[in-house]
Amino acid sequence: MLRLFRPHVVAGNWKMHKGVGEAESFVRQLEDRLEEPSRRDLIEEDLLEVVIYPTALCVHSCLISRSSDLIQVGAQNGHWEIKGAYTGEVSIGSFAEEGCGYILIGHSERRSLFGETDQDVRRKVEAVMGTGAKAMVCVGELLSEREEGRTFQVVGSQVRSAVNGLPEEFVSKRLTIAYEPVWAIGTGRTASASDAQEVCAHIRGILKEIFGPQVANGVRILYGGSVKRDNTFDILKEPDVDGLLVGGASLEVDSFLGIVDEAIRAMGAKGLKGPIK
């Protein structure tokens, strides 16, 4: 029996890859292939979103290379202040004004390599609220934390810090959470489908505690961590996994499109009909 569902998201994080020419070519090729009816119709019906996160330098080029809204362009990071003496930073407001539909916040590399704290993540979420963009907030545990049995504790703390006290309307309409176990990012190791479901369900449970079931059931929760075409279907068959944050496999049109197609197949296997209202 068909059932209502949360629109799914397949997002590609390019990290520090691709120059302007490569980015423009990628967008044109991907958009052309997303015009195939089985893909285009789901996107136009707001049942599937395809998002790319290019480098800051390539954001503008990617936006103007599109001829439609089949692909959404987001920013990998941004500063919470509107303006100021922050050499090298770009404000979240500036990215949103440029046309970015999503701001990626709290990626594990931002936390581990650049020292971002839960407080920084919260400031960025609040900055997104003042724009028309959506926030995609990353959470996840280290291998040592998982081996110590602290996954729920660590992930729960990150989620609560990011969302406590936020307006329900923002949470239900403009917040996405991406669970990315740090030990699975770029390592070739992937959480099992049941592992991904267990943590994504835990995240949804926290959202239910804070905002109630109606709001929590509308929030998309993604999985990220060595995602590729071969594991997409099994991960996305899980009821609380609503999409994927893809790293290396998003750098080539063929591999990224393969993940999109497997996501569509998984949506069908779930018996999905339309978005939760």
Side-chain angles (χ1 to χ4, degrees), residues 59-75:
V59 162
H60 177 73
S61 297
C62 288
L63 285 165
I64 65 173
S65 295
R66 303 176 306 167
S67 59
S68 68
D69 292 326
L70 293 177
I71 303 169
Q72 295 198 46
V73 179

Side-chain angles (χ1 to χ4, degrees), residues 73-226:
V73 179
Q76 295 179 16
N77 184 41
H79 199 283
W80 56 83
E81 293 290 354
I82 297 173
K83 59 183 178 179
Y86 303 101
T87 301
E89 294 290 331
V90 180
S91 73
I92 286 170
S94 293
F95 279 123
E97 183 179 3
E98 184 67 19
C100 287
Y102 277 93
I103 310 295
L104 190 65
I105 298 173
H107 189 278
S108 65
E109 291 162 0
R110 297 299 313 174
R111 295 179 189 257
S112 64
L113 300 178
F114 301 99
E116 287 193 5
T117 65
D118 285 348
Q119 184 181 24
D120 295 333
V121 169
R122 175 55 182 243
R123 286 171 175 164
K124 293 181 180 188
V125 173
E126 291 176 350
V128 173
M129 283 199 301
T131 73
K134 299 175 183 178
M136 185 175 289
V137 179
C138 300
V139 299
E141 81 282 15
L142 301 171
L143 178 58
S144 60
E145 293 166 336
R146 184 171 188 85
E147 290 175 340
E148 292 166 1
R150 298 198 296 123
T151 294
F152 285 178
Q153 176 187 344
V154 171
V155 172
S157 177
Q158 292 171 344
V159 171
R160 292 180 188 279
S161 176
V163 308
N164 264 329
L166 294 179
E168 291 186 359
E169 183 175 6
F170 174 80
V171 173
S172 61
K173 295 182 179 180
R174 293 169 54 202
L175 176 70
T176 300
I177 296 176
Y179 167 57
E180 43 160 28
V182 181
W183 48 269
I185 298 172
T187 65
R189 299 180 61 178
T190 309
S192 68
S194 60
D195 288 338
Q197 165 60 22
E198 182 180 45
V199 180
C200 289
H202 180 69
I203 292 170
R204 198 173 309 283
I206 292 171
L207 297 176
K208 288 178 180 178
E209 291 175 14
I210 299 172
F211 301 105
Q214 183 172 355
V215 170
N217 285 336
V219 176
R220 276 91 59 83
I221 302 175
L222 316 186
Y223 170 78
S226 295

